[in-house]
Amino acid sequence: MCLGVPGKVVSIEENPLGMNMGRVSFGGIVKEVCLAYTPEAEIGDYVVVHVGFAISKIDEDEAAKVFEYLREMDELGELEVPQPGEVPGDETRGGAA
Amino acid sequence: MRFVDEYRSEPEARKFVDAIHGVVTKPWSLMEICGGQTHTLIKSGIDRLLPEQVTLVHGPGCPVCVTPLEQIERALAIARRPEVIFTSFGDMLRVPGTSADLLSVKSQGGDVRIVYSPLDAVKLAEQNPNRQVVFFAVGFETTAPANAMSVWTAHRQGLENFSILCSHVLVPPAMEAILSAPHNQVQGFMAAGHVCAVMGYWQYGPIADKYEIPIVVTGFEPLDLLQGCYMTLKALEEGRSGVENQYTRSVTYEGNRPAQRLLRQVFEPCDRAWRGIGSIPESGYRLRSEYATYDAETRFDVGDIEAAESEECIAGEILQGLRKPHECSAFGSKCTPENPLGAPMVSSEGACAAYYHYGRVKVS
Amino acid sequence: MSDKDPLPRFAGSCPIPISDYPMVQMAHGGGGRLSQMLIEKLFVPAFDNPVLENLHDGAVLGLSSGSERSPGQQRLAFSTDSFVVRPLFFPGGDIGSLAVHGTVNDVAMCGAKPMAISAGFILEEGFAMGDLWRIVESMRDAALEAGVWVVTGDTKVVDKGKGDGVYINTTGVGLLRDGVEISPEGASVGDKILINGPIAEHGIAIMSVREGLEFETRLETDSAALYPLVELLLDNLPDDLRVLRDPTRGGVASALNEIAGQSNAGVLLEEDRIPLSEEVRGACEILGFDPLYVANEGKCLAIIAADRAEEALELWRSHRLGAQAAIIGEVVDDHPGRVVLRSSIGGLRVVDMLSGEQLPRIC
């Protein structure tokens, strides 16, 4: 899958090879993680970790997008479930503008 | 856990499920590429919440399942050597070769160890200068940068007792192989979010255009998958093709540049055999010549090992979405997680194992 | 496993197909499906007797007449367990305390008050005496706390390289009160399933110090002697307590699968109600583990008649060992013999028996 788990960067230091390594907390357990691929990550940021490497920094503004998408769907009436016998897309569906 | 729990909430999930029921008017087949997505779909019961008309096809997105049999045999041959500490992610330990797996090599005295990160394997090489440490470098584009870093680190440290058995595979060529197959069933894709976190999704536009399908880059939590399903189905219902990104919190168009740089430095594309599918051109990575000395295949001279698959196992068709696990004559009888005939029964997210464990089949 | 067919008579040839398993595998001791196969196909037919066939954590014997149940006769619970844990010392415990808790809990799960245990040591040549002393002290303290005496024992030493420092076997006995009937077949439709606190802590604490997988955590094993919780239920609702089980190897999922199979009833779990600490969740996420399959050493599952379940919950919550107790599901008439979980988003999935040990996964 590529099991990627969001964790919070709690410390950062450079290793002897000049690579950024950090300690990342996952619900309170802490693992050493290589941050070489997320040079922009700072302490307090959340990163997605796969096999001990941060592969992306989580964009906190974008993280709410799923819920915004649902709100927009609601405004567009896309959350209405067609009643039995109704044809989806029929104008009897409420709310569609 | 932040950025996990929010996406496992029932009221929101319910909204997406209702919306999916509302938007679907005819039968559709979607493929989620990644085994991790398969895992979430089944573990959270999403598969049972979707309309009957929606068929989810589980793609070849699990490195455990697609690593070819001869590569497993090579791993076993290397792991049996007394001077070797053979390191691997836990996933590969139960994958059956022709007559054994890494766990049974371990029980017969082979030094096989599970590591969490490839850098742990490099550390083992440092700590054991008199042993040969080999790391089984499997995985998709998500795992490749980590494995590349292990080679780069060993090289920088001048470790001569570290090498990798490389079995990397790439997603876009496999998607093309599936779409161009004569019996292709797949009408829309949920692309693997973490692969795209590394590679970006610029590679998918041409595929979507060529085959006129929707591709939605999708995350791994239940709400991500529900939204990904909804977006893909909506595009299908509206007759749209093209690429959309559901997983915006982790994925950008261009992907992770530093990771891509190191990938290019250490690896180069090559043809790669996929278990159950066959060889797909330019669908894998091999070490570049500058790093050839870290290739376990040549170091231990196991390159010419060959192996034949079980006659009965239909893993190939399952991985291409042509058939479902329970349509296999061996499913649940001759082939179980304790005694797998093929790789999809091994990995907890192999399609067959997922069906077996989470009872996708009607429980009699 | 849910069928009640009589087991085949032991035929003299090994009943586990050699073609499948010419050698013992780790998973044969993992508490999941392969362990079950070994017990049901090899040991039970070989040692064929009505007490063993109950497949309980411990055996219940009538003191005057073996297995017979004659009214008023004193009954003994009797259980054995071996400990081969690595590392020997882990956060919050060690092989010594574990060996005491494991066995007194098996006795307690029969509904009996543990009285005495034995301790058999298999030591490896060259093992540090100081470490042995630490282990023995820890056993002493655990036995004191559990109210049992270590009354007999044995020591063997094996050649260097033939053992992991120390293996311990403990056997425990305890007495049952009159009228207590607790067995894995006892679950019936409508009963509620209780657990005394957050799951998977022992397995994850061990993982945290396992070579190659280490992580920093404040997490400790939940290893504890559980009879006080059993006593609360026996004192207050003896007739409504159906099944007790400590979900050790194979975790909550395997224990409930066994109960569902032996009771021929369905189990429905509510994912959101299963107590789980944030740290265990974090560890399970990064290792790719399902906490339902991770070992516990201080957890007790109790299946209680529906109308007394809330009362049982309050009793447990009043005790240190049950402060975070919860009702996590119920026994249903659907899908007999199977465990189904309602996920946090409202989907359903089958929770199967574990096959083999869980391995950390990346994908």
Side-chain angles (χ1 to χ4, degrees):
Chain A
M1 142 183 188
C2 318
L3 188 72
V5 186
K8 186 178 183 173
V9 179
V10 291
S11 71
I12 302 177
E13 57 182 28
E14 223 176 64
N15 77 358
L17 296 176
M19 224 164 39
N20 262 3
M21 297 296 288
R23 288 163 63 253
V24 175
S25 168
F26 305 90
I29 71 147
V30 176
K31 271 207 83 86
E32 188 183 47
V33 167
C34 176
L35 300 175
Y37 298 136
T38 51
E40 72 283 17
E42 294 170 2
I43 290 176
D45 284 342
Y46 279 77
V47 288
V48 173
V49 175
H50 173 72
V51 303
F53 284 74
I55 54 167
S56 70
K57 184 185 135 182
I58 294 178
D59 182 323
E60 304 208 10
D61 296 334
E62 293 290 339
K65 277 281 163 64
V66 175
F67 306 98
E68 285 167 31
Y69 189 89
L70 274 170
R71 269 196 297 279
E72 283 166 22
M73 283 166 68
D74 200 15
E75 284 161 18
L76 294 169
E78 290 173 353
L79 293 181
E80 306 294 325
V81 190
Q83 295 307 307
E86 274 183 27
V87 184
D90 188 298
E91 55 270 44
T92 51
R93 285 183 65 193
Chain B
M1 291 174 72
R2 199 161 167 223
F3 300 118
V4 174
D5 300 357
E6 307 91 299
Y7 306 102
R8 296 183 186 180
S9 132
E10 185 165 358
E12 277 85 7
R14 177 58 49 195
K15 284 180 188 171
F16 274 124
V17 170
D18 288 348
I20 288 168
H21 279 265
V23 79
V24 171
T25 64
K26 44 182 173 289
W28 297 110
S29 269
L30 314 184
M31 179 179 270
E32 83 282 355
I33 310 259
C34 180
Q37 294 169 326
T38 308
H39 202 72
T40 304
L41 286 169
I42 292 173
K43 207 175 157 186
S44 60
I46 289 176
D47 54 333
R48 295 165 188 255
L49 297 172
L50 296 179
E52 293 272 307
Q53 291 164 298
V54 177
T55 304
L56 291 173
V57 183
H58 310 310
C62 154
V64 176
C65 300
V66 301
T67 300
L69 195 58
E70 52 267 24
Q71 203 67 345
I72 304 293
E73 289 296 322
R74 287 173 193 137
L76 297 171
I78 294 170
R80 286 190 183 106
R81 298 171 72 111
E83 75 276 25
V84 166
I85 299 175
F86 192 88
T87 58
S88 167
F89 299 128
D91 314 56
M92 300 307 292
L93 265 68
R94 264 199 281 266
V95 184
T98 46
S99 64
D101 58 23
L102 284 165
L103 268 185
S104 60
V105 168
K106 185 172 191 261
S107 67
Q108 290 161 36
D111 193 345
V112 176
R113 305 188 196 183
I114 295 174
V115 291
Y116 167 72
S117 162
L119 290 182
D120 297 334
V122 177
K123 270 192 207 133
L124 274 174
E126 265 179 273
Q127 293 159 354
N128 296 275
N130 302 323
R131 305 280 301 277
Q132 283 288 335
V133 175
V134 181
F135 176 69
F136 200 174
V138 297
F140 285 82
E141 293 93 326
T142 321
T143 319
N147 296 347
M149 185 68 84
S150 74
V151 172
W152 182 86
T153 303
H155 187 65
R156 287 283 304 271
Q157 295 183 326
L159 289 173
E160 288 174 6
N161 63 332
F162 178 81
S163 59
I164 66 169
L165 180 60
C166 184
S167 194
H168 274 297
V169 282
L170 305 174
V171 167
M175 281 171 75
E176 289 243 38
I178 289 164
L179 288 166
S180 59
H183 303 292
N184 170 49
Q185 313 278 321
V186 180
Q187 296 162 296
F189 272 104
M190 287 186 278
H194 289 142
V195 167
C196 296
V198 172
M199 303 305 280
Y201 54 93
W202 51 271
Q203 290 167 295
Y204 296 92
I207 299 176
D209 294 343
K210 181 174 170 187
Y211 296 94
E212 296 179 338
I213 53 157
I215 299 176
V216 177
V217 177
T218 303
F220 295 86
E221 292 299 332
L223 288 192
D224 292 326
L225 280 150
L226 283 165
Q227 189 186 0
C229 274
Y230 177 77
M231 288 165 76
T232 314
L233 289 164
K234 194 163 190 284
L236 286 167
E237 287 281 347
E238 293 170 0
R240 286 186 287 115
S241 61
V243 183
E244 292 181 272
N245 182 10
Q246 178 277 330
Y247 199 34
T248 53
R249 65 183 182 275
S250 291
V251 175
T252 58
Y253 181 73
E254 68 280 359
N256 184 321
R257 289 285 171 78
Q260 291 167 25
R261 251 198 313 278
L262 198 77
L263 279 181
R264 282 194 302 271
Q265 198 179 321
V266 174
F267 291 125
E268 62 192 13
C270 65
D271 299 352
R272 181 64 72 188
W274 292 55
R275 190 169 191 173
I277 296 179
S279 182
I280 303 178
E282 299 284 291
S283 68
Y285 280 139
R286 67 173 170 228
L287 287 164
R288 284 188 173 280
S289 54
E290 306 84 300
Y291 294 94
T293 172
Y294 297 95
D295 187 348
E297 235 171 281
T298 47
R299 186 175 297 195
F300 298 96
D301 194 23
V302 291
D304 44 13
I305 288 180
E306 289 189 0
E309 288 282 1
S310 147
E311 293 288 316
E312 204 167 348
C313 171
I314 60 166
E317 291 163 272
I318 287 168
L319 295 175
Q320 293 172 69
L322 300 178
R323 292 173 71 185
K324 292 272 185 177
H326 59 276
E327 293 168 6
C328 174
S329 61
F331 178 80
S333 53
K334 282 189 199 169
C335 179
T336 62
E338 293 85 40
N339 210 347
L341 278 184
M345 189 55 102
V346 177
S347 155
S348 58
E349 56 186 37
C352 300
Y355 265 61
Y356 187 92
H357 282 299
Y358 298 133
R360 278 267 332 225
V361 187
K362 292 279 180 288
V363 179
S364 53
Chain C
M1 95 133 264
S2 58
D3 57 53
K4 290 272 196 270
D5 287 345
L7 289 154
R9 294 287 309 160
F10 194 55
S13 65
C14 177
I16 290 187
I18 297 288
S19 58
D20 292 356
Y21 299 104
M23 282 176 237
V24 172
Q25 299 184 2
M26 287 309 288
H28 282 114
R33 200 187 294 276
L34 286 196
S35 298
Q36 206 182 11
M37 193 171 90
L38 196 61
I39 292 164
E40 291 183 4
K41 293 198 171 162
L42 202 89
F43 298 134
V44 171
F47 303 134
D48 187 23
N49 68 65
V51 181
L52 182 61
E53 272 174 14
N54 291 332
L55 297 181
H56 208 305
D57 279 342
V60 174
L61 301 167
L63 277 186
S64 48
S65 55
S67 67
E68 270 183 47
R69 301 278 170 89
S70 51
Q73 79 160 337
Q74 187 75 85
R75 287 173 304 151
L76 182 79
F78 174 44
S79 177
T80 189
D81 204 343
S82 302
F83 298 84
V84 295
V85 62
R86 262 181 312 173
L88 298 172
F89 302 93
F90 44 83
D94 57 65
I95 190 171
S97 52
L98 196 65
V100 173
H101 293 153
T103 285
V104 297
N105 289 345
D106 282 347
V107 170
M109 294 306 126
C110 298
K113 181 178 172 60
M115 293 165 50
I117 61 172
S118 68
F121 294 89
I122 297 172
L123 305 172
E124 186 186 2
E125 180 189 18
F127 185 62
M129 199 57 84
D131 284 346
L132 182 58
W133 174 239
R134 268 176 76 190
I135 290 166
V136 170
E137 274 193 306
S138 155
M139 284 180 85
R140 177 198 61 200
D141 296 346
L144 271 173
E145 195 183 352
V148 294
W149 286 354
V150 180
V151 292
T152 179
D154 174 61
T155 308
K156 294 283 185 294
V157 178
V158 296
D159 293 341
K160 192 163 180 57
K162 295 280 168 69
D164 280 323
V166 57
Y167 300 138
I168 302 176
N169 169 275
T170 48
T171 299
V173 291
L175 289 176
L176 272 88
R177 304 177 187 189
D178 253 1
V180 170
E181 287 296 339
I182 290 164
S183 87
E185 293 100 40
S188 54
V189 173
D191 292 351
K192 300 289 185 199
I193 299 161
L194 272 71
I195 193 157
N196 62 311
I199 65 168
E201 296 189 332
H202 175 75
I204 297 299
I206 295 265
M207 270 293 156
S208 74
V209 287
R210 189 146 290 174
E211 188 199 21
L213 302 170
E214 302 94 336
F215 47 85
E216 297 168 41
T217 177
R218 289 177 313 231
L219 202 68
E220 295 192 334
T221 176
D222 60 341
S223 181
L226 295 166
Y227 183 71
L229 292 178
V230 174
E231 192 169 49
L232 279 174
L233 302 180
L234 292 176
D235 285 347
N236 294 283
L237 32 109
D239 300 335
D240 300 289
L241 171 59
R242 316 269 198 228
V243 184
L244 287 167
R245 178 64 63 93
D246 61 336
T248 52
R249 278 174 324 174
V252 167
S254 301
L256 287 174
N257 264 287
E258 284 170 22
I259 293 168
Q262 291 183 348
S263 297
N264 201 23
V267 166
L268 180 64
L269 291 176
E270 298 284 339
E271 183 171 42
D272 284 345
R273 292 196 184 174
I274 299 168
L276 199 57
S277 79
E278 195 73 349
E279 293 209 338
V280 167
R281 286 192 59 201
C284 285
E285 289 289 335
I286 60 172
L287 295 168
F289 281 7
D290 184 337
L292 284 169
Y293 294 103
V294 177
N296 307 278
E297 290 292 348
K299 288 296 161 299
C300 179
L301 287 164
I303 298 186
I304 309 257
D307 56 346
R308 306 294 296 277
E310 286 295 335
E311 192 183 335
L313 185 65
E314 288 313 308
L315 286 167
W316 270 13
R317 284 189 174 165
S318 68
H319 193 282
R320 170 180 71 82
L321 293 169
Q324 297 179 68
I327 294 174
I328 59 171
E330 62 181 325
V331 180
V332 294
D333 53 7
D334 287 343
H335 51 81
R338 306 214 70 163
V339 179
V340 170
L341 175 129
R342 190 174 174 281
S343 76
S344 57
I345 63 150
L348 294 174
R349 78 164 203 256
V350 173
V351 178
D352 206 348
M353 199 87 175
L354 179 72
S355 355
E357 53 175 340
Q358 280 196 104
L359 299 170
R361 60 187 179 90
I362 61 147
C363 86

